[in-house]
């Protein structure tokens, strides 16, 4: 009887786990046993859960659900309702016969938020959270040796899988694919530091796990090597004039501390770029730059052939035509004057047109054959609601260069 009771309790516990798992995967399933492959189904699920949240504890009837999701085809709504009901993401609101109200599962909605974050960050946030929680759990040495072993195995497995993906992208993938998956490189130093801290705690309180700790050390070192190699490939493909964001952060810090305003402005004198996108958090950008592995070697600019293609104009003719084009733009901008303020030129322009004009003025200023100069002065001004929203005072002027 004891064994039978224990068996029933074990089965009940397993069924509870299966029930929660079904609710988690419900938002990912087109049918009850197949993953979705249409982004519209995610939007439908988001709309549906928002409607349930507004309805509160009373729930929604099938007709109310269809009304809330009326922007989607009716057959799609019926399909999703059937899948979500079968997997438990939508459940009867009351335990009584002949009732038609349903309520949404909190677990299913949270799982959808989790999936969206995974798609955006590639699992980095989850790995950080895992390392933080495991460190807190192990501090003080109160966990059992079995629990400590489980922690070591989980972290080692996660790092090895991450290493395998990075190596595959670096060795066999294209540069475009590697660049798209670049978030896997972010926070490399932070991840290494966190994993190393957990390793030290494991070795301090459970020395009998030294063999497993050795495997964890190997996984940490492999992740560091894979991150460095992936960054090196991105840097090699970026080119010397477009790799400013891949320089070691220490180099920028030293330069910024020692340089004056004119030297700082000169760094970007021949560069045109958009302001940071508003949806990128400043802290994430700062940490991404700070944690990038340093370059270990120098690289030279690849040689470029001067032999023109069959359909390409000779280099000198192309250079002359470009100088004439830039001179025409410069004269149109100056309108007979000796100088003009950049902020006046860029006013009442959309940013796409403004940055094209700015790029041409910079090119004209850098052309030794032309007599124009673009000079910058003063700090950067942030102008909310204006175009461009980030602006440095500058003057485009005519220069009488000696013949």
């Amino acid at each position: 009887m004891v064994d039978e009771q224990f068996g029933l309790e074990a089965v009940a516990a397993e069924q509870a786990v299966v029930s929660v798992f079904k609710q988690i995967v419900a938002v990912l399933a087109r049918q009850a046993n197949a993953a979705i492959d249409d982004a519209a189904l995610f939007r439908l699920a988001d709309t549906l859960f928002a409607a349930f949240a507004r309805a509160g504890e009373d729930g929604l009837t099938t007709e109310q659900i269809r009304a809330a999701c009326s922007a989607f085809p009716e057959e799609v709504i019926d399909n999703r309702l059937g899948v979500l009901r079968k997997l438990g993401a939508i459940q009867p609101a009351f335990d009584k016969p002949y009732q038609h109200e349903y309520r949404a599962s909190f677990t299913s909605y949270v799982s959808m938020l989790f999936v969206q974050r995974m798609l955006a960050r590639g699992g980095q946030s989850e790995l950080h959270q895992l390392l933080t929680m495991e460190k807190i759990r192990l501090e003080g040495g109160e966990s059992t040796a079995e629990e400590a072993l489980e922690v070591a195995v989980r972290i080692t497995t996660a790092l090895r899988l991450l290493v395998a993906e990075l190596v595959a992208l670096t060795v066999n993938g294209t540069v475009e694919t590697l660049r798209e998956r670049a978030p896997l490189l972010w926070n490399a130093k932070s991840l290494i530091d966190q994993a190393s801290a957990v390793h030290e705690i494991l070795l301090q309180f459970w020395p009998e796990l030294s063999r497993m700790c050795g495997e964890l050390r190997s996984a940490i070192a492999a992740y560091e090597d894979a991150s460095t190699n992936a960054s090196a490939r991105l840097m090699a493909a970026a080119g010397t004039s477009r790799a400013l964001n891949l320089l070691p952060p220490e180099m920028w810090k030293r330069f910024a501390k020692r340089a004056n305003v004119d030297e700082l402005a000169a760094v970007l004198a021949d560069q045109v770029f958009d302001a940071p996108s508003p949806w990128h958090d400043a802290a994430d950008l700062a940490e991404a730059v700070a944690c990038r592995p340093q370059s270990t070697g120098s690289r030279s600019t690849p040689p470029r052939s001067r032999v023109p293609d069959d359909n390409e104009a000779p280099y000198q003719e192309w250079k002359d035509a470009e100088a004439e084009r830039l001179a025409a733009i410069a004269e149109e901008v100056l309108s007979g004057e000796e100088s003009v303020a950049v902020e006046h030129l860029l006013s009442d322009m959309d940013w796409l047109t403004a940055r094209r004009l700015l790029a041409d003025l910079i090119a004209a200023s850098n052309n030794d054959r032309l007599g124009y100069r673009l000079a910058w002065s003063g700090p950067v001004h942030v102008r909310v609601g204006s175009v461009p929203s980030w602006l440095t005072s500058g003057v485009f002027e005519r220069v009488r260069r000696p013949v």
Side-chain angles (χ1 to χ4, degrees):
M1 289 296 295
V2 174
D3 292 341
E4 182 179 356
Q5 182 67 24
F6 179 78
L8 291 175
E9 290 179 354
V11 171
E14 291 177 357
Q15 289 301 317
V17 172
V18 171
S19 175
V20 173
F21 179 75
K22 286 183 177 179
Q23 295 176 42
I24 292 174
V25 302
V27 293
L28 302 177
R30 173 183 291 277
Q31 304 295 338
N33 59 349
I36 67 172
D37 55 4
D38 188 352
L41 297 182
F42 273 110
R43 296 194 295 271
L44 173 57
D46 200 18
T47 303
L48 184 59
F49 283 119
F52 274 107
R54 291 191 297 269
E57 66 275 8
D58 294 334
L60 295 174
T61 63
T62 303
E63 290 73 20
Q64 290 173 323
I65 292 174
R66 289 196 177 96
C69 303
S70 58
F72 299 89
E74 187 173 349
E75 61 273 12
V76 175
I77 298 175
D78 291 337
N79 173 273
R80 296 305 296 156
L81 288 179
V83 173
L84 296 176
R85 275 198 297 260
K86 184 172 182 179
L87 295 178
I90 296 178
Q91 303 168 358
F94 306 101
D95 188 13
K96 62 180 182 180
Y98 308 112
Q99 66 89 27
H100 303 287
E101 290 79 18
Y102 293 91
R103 62 176 177 82
S105 163
F106 166 78
T107 302
S108 295
Y109 181 66
V110 172
S111 70
M112 187 172 68
L113 299 180
F114 166 78
V115 170
Q116 290 172 338
R117 187 172 69 248
M118 289 284 288
L119 293 175
R121 298 299 302 270
Q124 279 282 0
S125 298
E126 280 60 38
L127 187 52
H128 276 287
Q129 293 174 7
L130 171 65
L131 290 169
T132 300
M133 290 187 297
E134 299 296 17
K135 180 182 177 183
I136 295 174
R137 177 184 176 187
L138 295 175
E139 284 178 335
E142 297 180 358
S143 300
T144 65
E146 290 76 13
E147 291 172 338
L149 178 60
E150 292 176 357
V151 170
V153 171
R154 279 196 295 267
I155 297 176
T156 302
T157 302
L159 288 175
R160 283 177 175 171
L161 291 174
L162 184 52
V163 168
E165 185 168 1
L166 276 175
V167 171
L169 287 171
T170 305
V171 176
N172 300 322
T174 62
V175 174
E176 290 74 16
T177 304
L178 181 60
R179 188 177 294 113
E180 290 175 0
R181 302 300 303 275
L184 289 173
L185 305 177
W186 290 359
N187 304 322
K189 185 177 184 302
S190 178
L191 283 177
I192 292 170
D193 291 343
Q194 286 182 288
S196 299
V198 173
H199 166 266
E200 292 177 3
I201 295 174
L202 288 170
L203 206 55
Q204 177 184 358
F205 292 102
W206 296 276
E208 65 272 20
L209 299 180
S210 58
R211 180 176 179 180
M212 191 64 222
C213 287
E215 295 187 15
L216 177 56
R217 285 196 303 274
S218 175
I220 294 172
Y223 174 63
E224 184 174 9
D225 290 343
S227 299
T228 302
N229 292 337
S231 296
R233 185 180 179 193
L234 285 176
M235 291 171 62
T240 55
S241 62
R242 299 182 182 179
L244 295 178
N245 61 322
L246 297 178
L247 291 176
E250 290 77 10
M251 182 180 296
W252 285 109
K253 291 178 181 178
R254 287 195 300 270
F255 176 76
K257 290 178 180 179
R258 300 172 182 173
N260 56 38
V261 175
D262 294 336
E263 289 172 337
L264 288 173
V267 173
L268 299 178
D270 58 348
Q271 301 292 324
V272 180
F273 57 92
D274 290 337
S277 301
W279 54 85
H280 289 165
D281 186 82
D284 290 342
L285 291 173
E287 187 171 2
V289 173
C291 296
R292 185 172 299 280
Q294 295 188 23
S295 174
T296 57
S298 60
R299 51 191 170 80
S300 57
T301 305
R304 180 173 179 176
S305 174
R306 290 297 183 184
V307 179
D309 295 334
D310 294 338
N311 298 325
E312 184 182 5
Y315 173 73
Q316 190 61 40
E317 293 182 11
W318 173 85
K319 187 175 181 180
D320 293 341
E322 177 66 8
E324 292 176 2
R325 185 186 73 84
L326 293 175
I329 294 175
E331 290 301 325
E332 181 180 357
V333 165
L334 290 172
S335 299
E337 301 293 334
E338 292 298 314
S339 64
V340 61
V342 174
E343 56 186 291
H344 294 159
L345 292 176
L346 303 185
S347 299
D348 301 325
M349 279 188 184
D350 63 276
W351 176 233
L352 185 61
T353 304
R355 68 179 181 181
R356 283 203 194 101
L357 176 60
L358 191 57
D360 287 333
L361 296 183
I362 291 174
S365 177
N366 292 334
N367 194 314
D368 295 333
R369 304 179 60 203
L370 303 178
Y372 306 102
R373 177 173 60 197
L374 185 61
W376 301 103
S377 63
V380 176
H381 300 284
V382 180
R383 312 184 306 168
V384 179
S386 301
V387 176
S389 57
W390 298 45
L391 183 62
T392 303
S393 299
V395 174
F396 183 71
E397 58 188 358
R398 196 188 314 273
V399 179
R400 302 300 181 184
R401 296 178 179 173
V403 181

